[in-house]
């Protein structure tokens, strides 16, 4: 893996494709063929006895299906083999208790995608500063948006290369996700200061040094009004649809317009998260975050018929806000960006960080007077300040006292770690 001070780094890069209507039709046909092939493979798996569920038998069944069904011939052979490998990997993840068992893929509920496992089939060429050309099997030579330097050409070397790609379609059109491998110099340890981070809804990211990162609405007022109008139109058209009746083309078109606006908001949110996490990773050497169980925080409060929940509407609004902030994605971005720049990311226990005073260390009921203000009710303290900054300071304090969450046997345990003082502080 390592050659001196060099490390192999694998990452992905997603770019927008500029396809003509004919090329869009070809890409759609390949995606539908890949989904159909998955469903046929799953039906074959359920039909065959256990002793015959082997990779060789599945490969023979796929080859026979591609000969018998003309519709599957639009899918390249390498992409068909990628479907087979992905299906067997899904069962392996299920057996190792990392995911649920694979199931049939629906036409409208499945992300349309096609895998290109061989990087040499792409033949990428940069046209000019903004656009590049890539070869898509059975689609042709198409343009894509060049927003990042890719290792192409003779100057890239043997170790720096593109190992494959995947075509993905969302509400904004077709994109290509490159799998890139680079040989980079191992980063030196980051000499920046330590910082604690508290994530929230009102203030998305608050740092222990008093800095905050906030954002506005992801959609403009005009776009929000249009989204509301489309949702009302969809609800009205759905009201007149009889049970069991197929969805009309007009309703499908309305759903597509709604998905396009929501995808635009998601793209803007992801761009803000990338910019924010990059700035944090470049500034600080050690980033400390809370180990939040987000899946439990966004569970519905509806309850059951025997024991109905309380404040269901308020809880659903909070759940939407938490899901919209995507705290887990923020931690994921910080994890690999800090490692790439020589820093580290540490998780500490979350309970009590927002209710504990960062000055005296005591938890007194009623100290958090509102969502934004924290006033310590300890008579000997009386510290007051921003509630989010107070929680971020508590998060950093837990790390400095040696508390860290270390994964062990599928669960997180608290471990006290010895911190080595910097050379300047010795």
């Amino acid at each position: 893996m390592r050659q001196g001070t060099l490390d192999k780094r694998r990452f992905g890069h997603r770019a927008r494709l500029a396809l003509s209507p004919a090329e869009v039709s070809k890409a759609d046909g390949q995606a539908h063929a890949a989904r159909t092939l998955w469903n046929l493979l799953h039906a074959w798996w359920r039909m065959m006895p256990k002793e015959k569920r082997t990779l060789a038998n599945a490969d023979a069944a796929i080859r026979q299906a591609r000969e018998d069904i003309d519709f599957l011939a639009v899918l390249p052979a390498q992409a068909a083999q990628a479907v087979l490998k992905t299906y067997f990997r899904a069962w392996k993840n299920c057996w190792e208790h990392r995911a649920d068992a694979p199931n049939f893929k629906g036409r409208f509920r499945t992300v349309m995608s096609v895998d290109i496992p061989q990087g040499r089939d792409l033949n990428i060429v940069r046209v000019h500063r903004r656009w590049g050309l890539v070869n898509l099997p059975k689609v042709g030579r198409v343009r894509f948006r060049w927003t990042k330097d890719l290792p192409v050409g003779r100057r890239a070397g043997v170790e720096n290369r593109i190992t494959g790609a995947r075509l993905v379609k969302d509400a904004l059109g077709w994109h290509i996700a490159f799998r890139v491998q680079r040989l980079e110099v191992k980063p030196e340890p980051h000499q920046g200061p330590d910082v604690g981070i508290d994530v929230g809804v009102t203030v998305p990211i608050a740092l222990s040094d008093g800095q905050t990162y906030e954002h506005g609405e992801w959609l403009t007022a005009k776009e929000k009004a249009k989204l509301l109008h489309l949702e009302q139109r969809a609800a009205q058209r759905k009201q007149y649809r009889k049970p069991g009746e197929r969805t009309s083309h007009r309703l499908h078109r309305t759903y597509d317009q709604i998905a396009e606006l929501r995808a635009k908001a998601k793209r803007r949110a992801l761009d803000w998260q990338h910019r924010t996490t990059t700035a944090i990773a470049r500034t600080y050497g050690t980033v400390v975050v809370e180990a939040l169980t987000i899946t439990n925080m966004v569970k519905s409060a509806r309850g059951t018929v025997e024991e109905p929940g309380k404040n269901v509407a308020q809880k659903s609004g909070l759940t939407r806000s938490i899901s919209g902030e995507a705290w887990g994605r923020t931690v994921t971005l910080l994890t690999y960006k800090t490692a790439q720049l020589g820093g580290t990311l540490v998780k500490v226990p979350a309970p009590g960080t927002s209710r504990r005073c960062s000055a005296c260390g005591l938890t007194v009921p009623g100290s958090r007077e509102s969502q934004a203000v924290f006033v310590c009710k300890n008579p000997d303290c009386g510290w007051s300040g921003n509630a989010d900054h107070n929680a971020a300071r508590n998060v950093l304090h837990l790390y400095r006292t040696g508390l860290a969450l270390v994964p062990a046997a599928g669960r997180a345990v608290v471990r006290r770690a010895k911190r080595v003082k910097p050379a300047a502080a010795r």
Side-chain angles (χ1 to χ4, degrees):
M1 189 68 176
R2 294 182 179 177
Q3 299 178 3
T5 59
L6 299 179
D7 276 349
K8 275 187 182 179
R9 176 170 168 254
R10 295 181 176 89
F11 62 94
H13 172 63
R14 184 164 172 165
R16 177 167 56 90
L17 291 173
L19 302 180
S20 64
E23 293 168 343
V24 170
S25 179
K26 292 180 181 179
D28 291 348
Q30 290 188 13
H32 287 306
R35 178 185 57 83
T36 304
L37 189 61
W38 174 284
N39 292 338
L40 292 175
L41 187 59
H42 187 57
W44 172 88
W45 179 277
R46 297 176 61 182
M47 180 183 63
M48 284 293 171
K50 291 185 178 181
E51 61 273 8
K52 293 187 178 181
R53 296 175 181 173
T54 62
L55 188 62
N57 292 340
D59 181 58
I62 284 181
R63 294 176 184 273
Q64 187 64 36
R66 286 171 54 81
E67 293 179 2
D68 297 340
I69 305 175
D70 297 336
F71 171 68
L72 299 178
V74 300
L75 187 67
Q78 295 291 341
Q81 293 296 320
V83 173
L84 175 61
K85 294 179 181 179
T86 304
Y87 183 78
F88 271 76
R89 191 182 307 117
W91 274 115
K92 184 178 179 181
N93 293 336
C94 174
W95 294 332
E96 295 177 356
H97 305 287
R98 293 199 299 264
D100 295 333
N103 204 344
F104 292 104
K105 292 186 176 182
R107 180 180 177 87
F108 299 107
R109 301 187 305 272
T110 305
V111 177
M112 298 179 64
S113 62
V114 181
D115 198 24
I116 307 175
Q118 299 294 337
R120 62 174 179 268
D121 298 336
L122 299 174
N123 297 325
I124 300 173
V125 176
R126 185 172 187 177
V127 179
H128 51 78
R129 185 170 63 90
R130 294 183 179 272
W131 293 96
L133 286 176
V134 59
N135 182 58
L136 305 182
K138 293 194 176 183
V139 175
R141 198 80 170 154
V142 299
R143 294 189 306 159
F144 70 93
R145 187 72 170 175
W146 192 285
T147 57
K148 187 180 183 66
D149 289 334
L150 299 174
V152 296
R154 297 180 179 179
R155 296 182 179 180
V158 179
E159 297 292 342
N160 301 332
R161 58 194 178 94
I162 296 177
T163 59
R166 176 180 286 269
L167 304 180
V168 182
K169 185 178 183 181
D170 59 8
L172 300 176
W174 279 98
H175 296 73
I176 182 169
F178 297 104
R179 292 188 287 268
V180 186
Q181 174 183 294
R182 284 185 183 274
L183 194 63
E184 298 181 349
V185 179
K186 183 181 177 182
E188 296 293 333
H190 201 298
Q191 301 300 324
D194 303 341
V195 68
I197 294 181
D198 176 70
V199 292
V201 176
T202 305
V203 179
I205 296 179
L207 305 185
S208 57
D209 58 2
Q211 188 176 0
T212 58
Y213 291 92
E214 302 182 34
H215 59 76
E217 297 290 339
W218 302 126
L219 295 177
T220 63
K222 187 176 181 179
E223 291 171 339
K224 291 171 66 175
K226 181 180 179 181
L227 178 61
L228 178 61
H229 174 68
L230 291 172
E231 290 175 343
Q232 292 175 347
R233 179 191 297 176
Q236 183 181 10
R237 289 176 175 174
K238 187 178 179 181
Q239 182 181 2
Y240 293 99
R241 189 181 63 177
K242 298 179 181 179
E245 185 180 0
R246 293 186 61 182
T247 305
S248 64
H249 291 289
R250 288 184 178 181
L251 185 55
H252 272 307
R253 174 56 184 163
T254 306
Y255 285 154
D256 292 341
Q257 291 176 321
I258 293 173
E260 183 177 351
L261 284 173
R262 290 177 177 173
K264 186 178 294 186
K266 182 179 179 180
R267 183 179 61 179
R268 292 170 181 172
L270 184 60
D271 177 71
W272 178 85
Q273 280 186 312
H274 272 291
R275 294 176 184 272
T276 303
T277 53
T278 299
I280 294 174
R282 288 176 177 175
T283 306
Y284 302 98
T286 302
V287 179
V288 189
V289 298
E290 297 174 294
L292 298 174
T293 309
I294 303 176
T295 54
N296 295 338
M297 300 174 65
V298 297
K299 281 185 178 180
S300 175
R302 184 175 303 175
T304 60
V305 178
E306 295 78 10
E307 297 180 0
K310 298 179 180 180
N311 300 326
V312 179
Q314 294 85 339
K315 178 62 170 63
S316 62
L318 178 61
T319 298
R320 285 194 299 269
S321 300
I322 294 175
S323 301
E325 293 299 332
W327 296 338
R329 187 168 60 198
T330 300
V331 175
T332 301
L333 296 178
L334 282 172
T335 301
Y336 82 82
K337 288 184 179 182
T338 51
Q340 181 183 353
L341 297 174
T344 55
L345 183 133
V346 182
K347 293 184 179 181
V348 296
T353 54
S354 61
R355 299 189 300 270
R356 187 185 308 115
C357 177
S358 59
C360 64
L362 298 179
T363 302
V364 182
S367 295
R368 186 160 184 173
E369 296 184 347
S370 65
Q371 184 69 24
V373 179
F374 185 94
V375 179
C376 183
K377 299 300 182 180
N378 182 13
D380 298 332
C381 179
W383 181 87
S384 62
N386 185 274
D388 299 305
H389 295 154
N390 174 74
R393 291 172 59 181
N394 286 327
V395 170
L396 180 60
H397 177 72
L398 290 176
Y399 165 70
R400 287 177 172 173
T401 55
L403 287 176
L405 287 178
V406 181
R411 58 188 179 87
V413 296
V414 180
R415 175 179 297 178
R416 289 190 174 272
K418 295 182 179 179
R419 296 186 66 246
V420 181
K421 294 183 179 180
R426 291 177 183 174

